[in-house]
Amino acid sequence: MSSDRLIYLPLGGAGEIGMNAYVYGYGPQGKERLILVDLGVTFSDMETSPGVDLIFPDMSWLIANKDRLDAIFITHGHEDHVGAVGQFWEKLGAPVYARAFTANLARHKMRDQGLPDDVVTTIGAWPEVTQAGPFSVGVLPMSHSIPESGALVIDSPAGRVIHTGDFKLDETPIVGEPFDPDLWASVSKNGVKALVCDSTNVFSPHAGRSEASVGPEIEKLVAAAPNMVAATTFASNVARVKTLAEAGERAGRSICLMGRAMRRMIEAAIETGVLDSFPKVVSPEDARALPRENLMLLVTGSQGERRAATAQLARGKHNGMTLKEGDLFLFSSKTIPGNEKGVFRIINQLSERGVDVVDDTGGLYHVSGHANRPDLERLQDIVNPDMVIPMHGEHRHLREHAKLSEAKGRASVVAVNGTMLDLTGAAPKVTEFVETGRTYLDGTVKIGALDGVVRDRIRMALNGHVMVNVILDEDDEPLGEAWVEVMGLPVQGSSNAPLADILEADLTQFLGRAGAKTLADDDKLEEGLRRIARNSCKDEIGKKPECTVIISRLS
Amino acid sequence: MSSDRLIYLPLGGAGEIGMNAYVYGYGPQGKERLILVDLGVTFSDMETSPGVDLIFPDMSWLIANKDRLDAIFITHGHEDHVGAVGQFWEKLGAPVYARAFTANLARHKMRDQGLPDDVVTTIGAWPEVTQAGPFSVGVLPMSHSIPESGALVIDSPAGRVIHTGDFKLDETPIVGEPFDPDLWASVSKNGVKALVCDSTNVFSPHAGRSEASVGPEIEKLVAAAPNMVAATTFASNVARVKTLAEAGERAGRSICLMGRAMRRMIEAAIETGVLDSFPKVVSPEDARALPRENLMLLVTGSQGERRAATAQLARGKHNGMTLKEGDLFLFSSKTIPGNEKGVFRIINQLSERGVDVVDDTGGLYHVSGHANRPDLERLQDIVNPDMVIPMHGEHRHLREHAKLSEAKGRASVVAVNGTMLDLTGAAPKVTEFVETGRTYLDGTVKIGALDGVVRDRIRMALNGHVMVNVILDEDDEPLGEAWVEVMGLPVQGSSNAPLADILEADLTQFLGRAGAKTLADDDKLEEGLRRIARNSCKDEIGKKPECTVIISRLS
């Protein structure tokens, strides 16, 4: 019996929706040859990661084992799957494989970091396969909300694993290959060990609807609009952008793409042949010369992003265009949980301008890109794997998906980031826990999520910041009074005098009372000053701020 | 013809959902006698108001006109209607009127601020009326998600206005008076000038469901649960708490109330006779001695509040109770937009413990407390007012509600906070704009939202904070080197040396180069030091932090 084993190790994406990174390995324990599937980002928020530019999975484990890494495969071009490729490629150093459209976007990511883009190799769809160490990997076309999403057929001596990537079962996806149940059945017919499967919509009880279902509704809406129409969706949803543009064209409107991502995605889709036709577009300059009722703007920023075209139009102007009373704005999108406030802020701003806003509330103008519960069951039935490993979901999604799979008689397990599974046997076996976490890109620096940097920012935001400055002479005697600066605190509190004055008086009094031992000891003195400053603040303004003490000694 | 006029002025709640405060006035222009309807709070968030404890409407206009204020009426006991009564009462000084349950809560608010609670007068329901200056005000019972919500019938020589407060049309509300269409018709039969109306659910297309509809579903769910059951809802939703408790009792479970608000609301409901029966409850201590399958916990924290009982149970333990594999947790509540991340965090934590979570996704275990679109139409048809003034909504709600009303042939207008309307004529007329805004309670201090305090906190959170300390001698010569402290910034950047060291070197070099004129001028020196510090940070770590410069001069 071979001692070789097949392992699965999510480093990102299992226990969250975002920053996907899944490792597969085959070989003797601890010496498995590895491949990485996806290398994505997730986005910061004010609540947990203020000031952070991007969030990556902690790739330390894989970097430490980079000599065992044979290839990186990218399933599709969404940021949470491809966004970190440029950021980690130098430290991983393995070739990157993806289909044409995804590879086009991955090369942009490499160039953005000043890296050579020829490490990204374009591969074709199944039955073409790529050898990577002990693995043979093919891309099985799958429908999703971006062109050329692919499931990976990962063969090794331990058997066949199918890693779905993100998907829905759409047989009329407008752009790209439809879901082909016969192809999936044929790939699965000799047995599939494990289906590693998207869990995003496991709580959605009804079968998903096709991308083709929104076209007629959008067309009716646009045709009936009396004035200018603007619409937003994820720029990478090329099928939707096409549907929107064609609805505009049929209503006699010129199409204007606004926002860099919108133009870049359409370019990439045309360059790679994913998109064979698209209505003629006009530039914002030319658009301004056209009658408003003959225009349709397709704009970025469906999630309320403050700098995107939608937000700018809501605030007033973007590229010289403004929205007016009686215009129509369509959100052909779903608001991702956490973005509601930002999106509603924009809808209210549009409302203030008299713009009629239509969103997905009625379920007419958007369909999800992920497989719903009955779709997950259907795919399981087609593939009939020995086991189902839920991925791409928060814990609640993974658990529900595992329960669903077990109810269908298949082995399953909830494996969150860092859980190494041995897939060699008949059921998944937890074999090791690897330390994982999040890496923040902050400006140009990568920092660990637990380094304390962001914790300090959050504390300053919640508590404000007091800075105490004291100068001592050669004999450890205070030179003058304590000096206080405050930031992010009320100017005055209960004494009706400036807070800084009150603090300076209290601190100076403390200095006057402090013994020689305290004055000679930086740590003691700092501790005493901090205590006084925080307690005086508590008395004055009812809160204890962060406090930085600077002691200068003349010597 | 009289020169007296009837005015309406929202100071809070119109253009947002939260911090309700509506002024009505009658009399000669600028000398109208005033009443205030509701005085509520709204809640802070990390994105816009980090560290802020509570948010109030800016009451400056009313405080400046307090000699004209005759009474404060509170429609119901939700925090966004009664929460600021204790905070502003001293500055307004008018008597407070409310029905018994609401008055009970209002008195708590007064006592919380160390104020006399006898300024709150309990009033009865219509046809009882209270005289307040030129106004005669009665409370018309209305169903909502809290007992004794009331619409106000506000009579003045200019006619009758009905201010709905928050409401739904529920003829079987479990607790409190049902909606009584005949009573409403009789109150309206001699003509209603204006219906000032809740707009929250104007986008909900189907008629609302009764509170009574959730009982049977909850009962089935609880009866089928094999292990411990815990459920959360808004504590003030006494009807729901009762429904949950009765479902538990019928399933042979002892009821344990967890969280201060949960106990206080039930107490208030019993004290004021709103609740005439409630299952026997056991203390957490006694509950711990009972078999888990015979227990039902009713807990606070349905919105993901970090310190509430639900969050504590999700993290591990509350009052000695823990949730385990196979327990059931029911969210009998809707997640308010903006709270999704916090609620999902808790659901994921519960999932990690193996707890089965049921929420409102299927629409079975919660109904809204607000009137949906067809309900708004129905009430308009019953009251048949000359005009409809939408309130209690964001701009998008107000606008939609105004459009709905106009479509039904009634005069309407979108009047956001600060918009004074003259209601004397046949249609509402905008007559003045009053400066309004938000007041933050920060610790114990009230600050204006635009005072810059919170802006500085947000900047520190986004950018980090650098403190530069420089000492100059009597001759304006730098004494030693510049000293830098950083907070909320990466320890090191591109130079692979500590950021503070790099900054100190750059700043000391600047000091060495600086001319006597700069060194002698605090403003110039500060500006120069700040520029160097920020630019060096930009080079090192790719971001420009907030910067505080402290220049000490020995003299």
Side-chain angles (χ1 to χ4, degrees):
Chain A
M1 196 180 118
S2 163
S3 69
D4 290 347
R5 62 179 197 169
L6 173 66
I7 59 168
Y8 161 81
L9 170 63
L11 294 174
E16 70 210 327
I17 295 179
M19 59 172 217
N20 294 275
Y22 307 91
V23 175
Y24 291 88
Y26 183 81
Q29 182 172 344
K31 293 183 181 161
E32 297 89 354
R33 298 299 304 177
L34 308 173
I35 60 172
L36 174 65
V37 175
D38 290 338
L39 187 40
V41 302
T42 195
F43 299 101
S44 66
D45 59 47
M46 190 66 187
E47 187 129 357
T48 61
S49 44
V52 168
D53 293 277
L54 269 180
I55 301 176
F56 311 129
D58 175 357
M59 298 301 288
S60 311
W61 185 89
L62 195 58
I63 291 168
N65 291 289
K66 61 172 285 195
D67 55 315
R68 292 161 53 196
L69 181 66
D70 290 314
I72 301 169
F73 291 89
I74 309 294
T75 60
H76 65 284
H78 279 149
E79 288 294 325
D80 59 333
H81 295 260
V82 72
V85 163
Q87 293 285 347
F88 285 103
W89 185 81
E90 276 188 295
K91 295 203 166 162
L92 294 173
V96 177
Y97 298 98
R99 290 188 69 195
F101 180 76
T102 309
N104 182 300
L105 300 177
R107 287 190 191 102
H108 273 289
K109 297 290 171 197
M110 298 296 287
R111 287 196 292 272
D112 285 349
Q113 299 301 315
L115 295 169
D117 64 4
D118 58 0
V119 300
V120 180
T121 301
T122 298
I123 54 178
W126 184 267
E128 181 178 322
V129 295
T130 302
Q131 297 302 321
F135 294 103
S136 158
V137 180
V139 186
L140 209 52
M142 195 47 141
S143 40
H144 184 42
S145 50
I146 189 169
E148 287 193 348
S149 194
L152 300 183
V153 179
I154 304 173
D155 287 332
S156 71
R160 176 163 286 184
V161 170
I162 298 185
H163 180 104
T164 65
D166 293 3
F167 74 99
K168 66 183 295 188
L169 303 185
D170 195 337
E171 302 187 21
T172 52
I174 304 292
V175 169
E177 297 109 326
F179 169 62
D180 180 349
D182 296 337
L183 174 61
W184 276 74
S186 80
V187 167
S188 307
K189 73 169 184 289
N190 293 328
V192 171
K193 172 171 264 312
L195 181 67
V196 182
C197 191
D198 181 1
S199 309
T200 313
N201 280 6
V202 67
F203 289 108
S204 300
H206 307 297
R209 290 178 298 134
S210 169
E211 182 65 31
S213 69
V214 300
E217 297 297 337
I218 289 174
E219 202 165 314
K220 271 188 268 176
L221 183 74
V222 174
N227 299 308
M228 191 150 79
V229 176
T232 183
T233 188
F234 271 111
S236 55
N237 193 340
V238 174
R240 188 70 51 78
V241 177
K242 183 176 191 234
T243 296
L244 290 163
E246 287 178 353
E249 187 180 46
R250 286 204 193 99
R253 293 169 183 271
S254 294
I255 308 303
C256 179
L257 302 180
M258 300 186 97
R260 204 166 52 103
M262 196 57 87
R263 290 189 296 274
R264 183 155 145 180
M265 278 293 166
I266 298 304
E267 273 167 28
I270 290 172
E271 275 171 34
T272 56
V274 161
L275 203 54
D276 51 9
S277 74
F278 193 81
K280 191 174 163 302
V281 302
V282 297
S283 70
E285 295 67 38
D286 293 343
R288 289 201 293 274
L290 294 170
R292 300 170 58 77
E293 64 273 21
N294 292 344
L295 257 184
M296 179 159 178
L297 314 180
L298 299 182
V299 297
T300 52
S302 65
Q303 297 303 311
E305 301 91 332
R306 277 176 188 273
R307 290 180 210 163
T310 294
Q312 292 191 32
L313 284 170
R315 286 196 298 266
K317 196 176 262 203
H318 180 69
N319 257 336
M321 303 296 301
T322 53
L323 294 177
K324 292 185 182 165
E325 177 88 31
D327 286 345
L328 173 72
F329 194 100
L330 171 62
F331 281 84
S332 183
S333 53
K334 181 193 172 241
T335 302
I336 293 172
N339 296 342
E340 290 83 358
K341 279 199 173 181
V343 171
F344 283 135
R345 184 185 307 121
I346 284 173
I347 293 179
N348 282 315
Q349 287 168 336
L350 291 170
S351 177
E352 285 168 31
R353 299 183 170 275
V355 175
D356 295 316
V357 177
V358 172
D359 64 16
D360 182 42
T361 311
L364 296 177
Y365 307 112
H366 178 66
V367 291
S368 171
H370 294 274
N372 292 353
R373 191 181 184 92
D375 308 318
L376 295 172
E377 298 194 66
R378 183 177 166 211
L379 192 69
Q380 276 194 32
D381 292 341
I382 293 172
V383 174
N384 193 24
D386 299 338
M387 55 181 105
V388 175
I389 313 296
M391 54 127 188
H392 204 277
E394 298 169 9
H395 194 282
R396 61 195 175 104
H397 301 106
L398 303 184
R399 182 161 176 265
E400 185 71 13
H401 198 175
K403 281 164 75 176
L404 170 73
S405 305
E406 284 167 355
K408 290 176 75 71
R410 298 194 172 92
S412 192
V413 65
V414 174
V416 296
N417 294 341
T419 310
M420 188 188 288
L421 296 181
D422 182 342
L423 305 181
T424 320
K429 202 170 75 186
V430 175
T431 160
E432 199 179 317
F433 291 101
V434 165
E435 208 169 300
T436 54
R438 295 180 158 211
T439 299
Y440 291 156
L441 179 68
D442 190 56
T444 50
V445 182
K446 287 198 186 79
I447 55 177
L450 304 178
D451 285 2
V453 172
V454 166
R455 180 201 60 205
D456 284 348
R457 283 187 204 158
I458 292 173
R459 286 183 180 166
M460 287 192 289
L462 293 175
N463 307 324
H465 193 186
V466 163
M467 293 143 277
V468 175
N469 188 31
V470 167
I471 305 177
L472 300 167
D473 68 12
E474 295 83 347
D475 304 321
D476 297 331
E477 286 295 322
L479 211 60
E481 308 199 326
W483 182 338
V484 168
E485 297 273 343
V486 302
M487 192 175 267
L489 289 169
V491 173
Q492 67 178 36
S494 55
S495 300
N496 288 321
L499 175 63
D501 292 0
I502 302 282
L503 295 179
E504 284 172 357
D506 290 350
L507 289 163
T508 301
Q509 197 179 48
F510 168 79
L511 286 175
R513 280 198 318 260
K517 241 177 153 170
T518 301
L519 292 172
D521 183 330
D522 276 1
D523 290 345
K524 264 198 190 138
L525 184 56
E526 183 176 332
E527 191 201 318
L529 290 166
R530 174 175 287 118
R531 198 185 61 241
I532 297 290
R534 285 165 55 86
N535 288 342
S536 294
C537 280
K538 184 76 186 167
D539 290 345
E540 277 296 303
I541 59 171
K543 62 196 297 172
K544 288 191 171 186
E546 300 308 294
C547 184
T548 298
V549 176
I550 301 175
I551 299 167
S552 304
R553 292 181 186 274
L554 306 183
S555 53
Chain B
M1 196 180 121
S2 161
S3 69
D4 290 345
R5 62 178 197 169
L6 174 65
I7 58 166
Y8 161 82
L9 169 64
L11 294 175
E16 70 211 325
I17 293 179
M19 59 172 217
N20 293 275
Y22 306 91
V23 175
Y24 291 89
Y26 183 81
Q29 183 172 342
K31 293 182 181 163
E32 299 88 353
R33 298 300 303 178
L34 308 173
I35 59 172
L36 174 65
V37 176
D38 290 339
L39 186 42
V41 302
T42 195
F43 299 102
S44 66
D45 61 46
M46 189 67 187
E47 187 129 356
T48 62
S49 44
V52 168
D53 292 278
L54 271 178
I55 302 176
F56 311 129
D58 176 357
M59 298 302 290
S60 312
W61 185 89
L62 195 59
I63 291 168
N65 291 289
K66 60 172 283 192
D67 56 314
R68 291 160 55 196
L69 182 66
D70 290 315
I72 301 169
F73 292 89
I74 309 294
T75 60
H76 65 285
H78 279 149
E79 289 293 324
D80 59 332
H81 295 260
V82 72
V85 163
Q87 294 285 348
F88 285 103
W89 185 81
E90 276 187 295
K91 296 206 165 159
L92 295 173
V96 178
Y97 299 99
R99 290 190 69 197
F101 180 76
T102 309
N104 182 300
L105 300 178
R107 288 190 191 103
H108 274 289
K109 297 288 172 201
M110 297 297 286
R111 287 196 293 271
D112 285 350
Q113 299 300 315
L115 295 169
D117 64 5
D118 59 0
V119 300
V120 180
T121 300
T122 299
I123 54 178
W126 184 265
E128 182 177 321
V129 295
T130 301
Q131 299 302 322
F135 294 103
S136 159
V137 180
V139 186
L140 209 51
M142 197 46 144
S143 41
H144 184 42
S145 50
I146 190 170
E148 287 192 350
S149 194
L152 300 182
V153 180
I154 303 173
D155 287 333
S156 73
R160 177 163 285 184
V161 170
I162 298 185
H163 180 104
T164 65
D166 293 4
F167 75 99
K168 66 185 293 187
L169 303 185
D170 195 337
E171 302 188 21
T172 51
I174 304 290
V175 168
E177 297 107 327
F179 170 63
D180 180 349
D182 295 338
L183 174 62
W184 277 75
S186 81
V187 166
S188 306
K189 72 170 184 291
N190 293 328
V192 171
K193 173 171 263 311
L195 181 67
V196 182
C197 192
D198 180 2
S199 309
T200 313
N201 280 5
V202 67
F203 289 108
S204 300
H206 308 298
R209 290 178 298 136
S210 168
E211 182 64 30
S213 69
V214 300
E217 297 297 338
I218 289 173
E219 202 164 314
K220 268 188 269 176
L221 184 73
V222 174
N227 299 308
M228 190 150 80
V229 176
T232 184
T233 188
F234 269 112
S236 55
N237 192 340
V238 174
R240 187 69 52 78
V241 177
K242 184 176 190 235
T243 296
L244 290 164
E246 288 177 351
E249 188 180 45
R250 287 205 193 99
R253 293 170 183 271
S254 294
I255 308 303
C256 179
L257 303 180
M258 300 185 98
R260 205 167 53 103
M262 196 56 86
R263 290 189 296 274
R264 183 155 145 182
M265 277 293 165
I266 298 303
E267 272 167 28
I270 290 173
E271 274 170 33
T272 55
V274 161
L275 203 53
D276 51 9
S277 74
F278 193 83
K280 192 174 161 302
V281 301
V282 296
S283 69
E285 294 68 38
D286 293 343
R288 288 201 293 274
L290 294 171
R292 299 170 59 77
E293 65 272 22
N294 293 343
L295 258 184
M296 179 158 177
L297 314 181
L298 299 182
V299 298
T300 51
S302 65
Q303 297 303 312
E305 302 91 333
R306 277 177 188 272
R307 290 180 211 165
T310 295
Q312 291 192 32
L313 284 170
R315 286 196 297 266
K317 197 176 263 201
H318 180 68
N319 256 334
M321 303 294 303
T322 53
L323 295 177
K324 294 184 180 163
E325 178 87 33
D327 286 345
L328 173 72
F329 195 100
L330 171 62
F331 281 84
S332 183
S333 54
K334 182 194 170 236
T335 302
I336 294 172
N339 296 343
E340 290 83 359
K341 279 198 174 182
V343 171
F344 283 136
R345 185 185 307 121
I346 284 173
I347 294 180
N348 282 316
Q349 288 167 334
L350 291 170
S351 176
E352 286 170 29
R353 297 181 173 276
V355 174
D356 295 316
V357 177
V358 172
D359 64 15
D360 183 42
T361 311
L364 295 177
Y365 307 112
H366 178 66
V367 292
S368 172
H370 294 274
N372 292 352
R373 191 181 184 93
D375 309 318
L376 296 172
E377 298 194 66
R378 184 177 164 209
L379 192 71
Q380 278 194 30
D381 291 341
I382 293 172
V383 174
N384 193 22
D386 299 339
M387 55 182 104
V388 175
I389 314 296
M391 54 129 188
H392 203 277
E394 299 169 9
H395 195 282
R396 62 197 175 103
H397 301 107
L398 304 183
R399 180 161 178 266
E400 185 72 12
H401 198 175
K403 280 164 78 174
L404 170 74
S405 306
E406 283 166 355
K408 289 177 75 70
R410 299 193 171 93
S412 191
V413 65
V414 174
V416 295
N417 294 340
T419 311
M420 188 187 287
L421 296 182
D422 182 342
L423 306 181
T424 321
K429 203 170 74 187
V430 175
T431 159
E432 198 178 319
F433 290 101
V434 165
E435 207 169 303
T436 55
R438 296 180 157 209
T439 299
Y440 291 157
L441 179 67
D442 190 58
T444 51
V445 182
K446 288 198 186 79
I447 55 177
L450 303 179
D451 285 2
V453 172
V454 165
R455 179 202 59 205
D456 284 349
R457 283 186 204 158
I458 291 172
R459 286 182 180 168
M460 287 191 289
L462 293 176
N463 307 325
H465 192 185
V466 163
M467 292 143 279
V468 175
N469 188 31
V470 167
I471 305 176
L472 301 168
D473 68 13
E474 295 84 346
D475 304 322
D476 297 332
E477 285 295 321
L479 212 60
E481 308 199 325
W483 181 338
V484 168
E485 296 272 344
V486 302
M487 191 175 269
L489 289 170
V491 173
Q492 67 179 36
S494 55
S495 301
N496 287 321
L499 175 62
D501 292 0
I502 302 283
L503 295 179
E504 285 172 358
D506 290 350
L507 290 163
T508 300
Q509 197 180 49
F510 167 79
L511 287 174
R513 280 198 319 259
K517 241 178 154 171
T518 300
L519 291 172
D521 182 331
D522 275 1
D523 290 345
K524 262 198 192 142
L525 184 55
E526 182 176 331
E527 190 201 320
L529 289 166
R530 174 174 288 117
R531 197 185 61 240
I532 297 291
R534 285 165 55 85
N535 287 343
S536 294
C537 279
K538 185 76 185 168
D539 290 345
E540 277 295 304
I541 60 171
K543 61 198 294 173
K544 287 191 172 183
E546 299 309 295
C547 185
T548 298
V549 175
I550 302 175
I551 300 167
S552 305
R553 292 183 186 273
L554 306 183
S555 54

